[in-house]
């Protein structure tokens, strides 16, 4: 009888330990996956905003030169055109990648608000 009591105590402790390990593992893995997706989203947004900033630098340069009545230097124009082309490619690339990690609403906002920006000057 005493052996049965010891066996049942061991079995209940083992069951509780296994159940706790399973729940801890499941919750921990779920949290890790959410953090990983958030990290991917954040990285995607940072890349998009960096590319947009590059485009705005070009716009600012042209606007400033226009306001001051100065011509556009050929070397600067080539420099900004190259950077702008790369920024537009980056925005489109990040938009395609982002469609896997963002919500449908975020993808629509990027598509309707940012992608048209890449069409300027084409």
């Amino acid at each position: 009888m005493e052996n049965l009591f010891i066996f049942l105590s061991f079995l209940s402790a083992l069951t509780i330990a296994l159940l706790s390990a399973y729940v801890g593992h499941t919750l921990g893995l779920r949290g890790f996956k959410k953090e990983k997706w958030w990290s991917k989203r954040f990285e995607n947004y940072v890349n998009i905003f960096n590319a947009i900033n590059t485009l705005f630098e070009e716009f600012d340069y042209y606007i400033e030169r226009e306001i001051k009545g100065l011509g556009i230097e050929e070397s600067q124009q080539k420099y900004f055109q190259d950077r702008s082309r790369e920024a537009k490619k980056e925005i489109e690339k990040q938009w395609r990648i982002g469609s896997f990690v963002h919500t449908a609403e975020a993808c629509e906002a990027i598509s309707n608000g940012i992608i048209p920006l890449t069409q300027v000057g084409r």
Side-chain angles (χ1 to χ4, degrees):
M1 188 65 137
E2 191 173 310
N3 289 338
L4 181 62
F5 179 72
I6 293 173
F7 175 73
L8 290 176
S9 296
F10 174 75
L11 186 62
S12 68
L14 181 64
T15 303
I16 291 172
L18 288 174
L19 184 62
S20 298
Y22 174 75
V23 169
H25 170 74
T26 302
L27 292 178
L29 191 58
R30 187 178 309 157
F32 173 75
K33 286 180 181 178
K34 283 182 182 179
E35 287 177 18
K36 186 175 177 183
W37 279 111
W38 173 246
S39 177
K40 287 180 184 290
R41 286 179 184 163
F42 180 76
E43 180 182 340
N44 186 264
Y45 282 130
V46 166
N47 291 336
I48 288 172
F49 287 126
N50 283 334
I52 290 171
N53 183 59
T54 300
L55 292 176
F56 280 122
E57 286 175 3
E58 179 185 9
F59 298 154
D60 288 343
Y61 172 78
Y62 290 136
I63 290 170
E64 181 181 342
R65 300 297 282 193
E66 182 70 27
I67 289 173
K68 292 181 179 179
L70 304 172
I72 298 170
E73 299 170 19
E74 193 172 318
S75 63
Q76 284 294 94
Q77 185 176 9
K78 173 88 170 100
Y79 169 75
F80 281 119
Q81 283 176 345
D82 292 343
R83 287 188 67 207
S84 177
R85 189 177 310 108
E86 291 303 314
K88 290 173 183 181
K89 286 180 187 177
E90 183 68 20
I91 290 171
E92 289 173 353
K93 175 181 139 189
Q94 293 301 325
W95 175 70
R96 285 190 300 273
I97 291 171
S99 65
F100 292 108
V101 295
H102 295 299
T103 62
E105 292 84 12
C107 288
E108 185 177 337
I110 292 169
S111 179
N112 294 335
I114 297 173
I115 294 298
L117 220 113
T118 65
Q119 307 302 320
V120 173
R122 279 195 178 171

